[in-house]
Each structure stands twice: as C-alpha cells, then as structure tokens.
C-alpha cells in the first residue's frame, strides 16, 4: 500500500501529460484558471519512445492556426512547468504548485489537488510508453510503504 505524504516532490521536474478527462475537470472545477497559461502542447515526436502506445490515453490534438496559410499545431496536451532554478541542475515546477498553497489548503501546494490529472494521481507509479508500470518514488519520503 502506498501512503502519500504530500511532499510536493512529484510537482517538480516531470512531464505531465493530460487526458481529455483531466482537461474537462480542470476547466469545470477551476473556471477561474486561464487554461492558455496552464496547458501546453508537446510535440508528438518529443521524448516519447513509442508514441503509438500513448494514443489510447493521451491522444494527439490538433489546434487551428491563427492565420489561414499556417498549418495546424499538433501535439500532446500537458501541464506547463516553469523553470524556478537556473543552476546547473535545472529545476522546473508545475504551474499549479505553489508553496503559498501550503497555508491555504491541506494539499501541500497543489491548487487542483481534488481534480488533479490521472498521471499525478498515479505517481510514484509511472506508466511507460510500452504500457509497463514502474515505481519511481525514490524522491518520496514514504517509499518504503509499497507492498
């Protein structure tokens, strides 16, 4: 059994793809959030070993370009991560994570904790491109409680 300690480690230095369900829930339950500032498109060719296996959960979306002569933009929907440290070890942080949320909620900084994306719910277990599952909780304080 996994016992999340809500340490916030999963909110840093990751790629968080989102499903249609994730996008609908964020939009429905957090209407004040400007999705253009929180969501980005990752290239279908970027960093994924086997993109075909991803399509069942994370379909490639196509967004029309602003000008008629421009090609549509295609990619995977993902949460934006902002660079918070420019040291040799680059550190990025989810746009929904804020240390100030620590005071305002019980969810250690996640502004959308109650409706967070599937990939966040499953952390520290990672679903790989080939649909295998791996444990990636070495940064988690409760990593010994996996049964």
């Amino acid at each position: 059994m996994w016992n999340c300690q809500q340490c916030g480690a999963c909110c840093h230095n990751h790629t968080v793809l989102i499903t249609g369900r994730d996008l609908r829930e964020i939009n429905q339950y957090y209407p004040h959030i400007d999705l253009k500032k929180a969501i980005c498109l990752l290239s279908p060719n970027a960093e994924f070993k086997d993109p075909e296996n991803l399509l069942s959960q994370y379909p490639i979306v196509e967004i029309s370009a602003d000008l008629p002569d421009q090609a549509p933009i295609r990619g995977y929907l993902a949460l934006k991560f902002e660079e918070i440290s420019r040291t040799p070890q680059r550190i990025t942080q989810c746009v929904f994570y804020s240390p100030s949320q620590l005071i305002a909620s019980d969810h250690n900084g996640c502004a959308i904790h109650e409706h967070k994306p599937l990939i966040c719910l499953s952390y520290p277990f990672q679903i790989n491109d080939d649909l295998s599952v791996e444990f990636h909780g070495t940064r988690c304080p409760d990593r010994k409680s996996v049964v």
Side-chain angles (χ1 to χ4, degrees), residues 19-36:
T19 65
R21 171 219 162 261
D22 298 331
L23 185 60
R24 279 190 303 277
E25 286 206 7
I26 293 168
N27 191 44
Q28 178 182 353
Y29 293 100
Y30 308 98
H32 61 283
I33 291 174
D34 182 355
L35 292 178
K36 290 180 183 176

Side-chain angles (χ1 to χ4, degrees), residues 55-74:
L55 291 175
S56 63
Q57 288 294 317
Y58 304 102
I60 294 175
V61 297
E62 191 169 285
I63 299 174
S64 299
D66 291 336
L67 301 173
D69 59 337
Q70 287 183 323
I73 302 166
R74 301 179 73 235

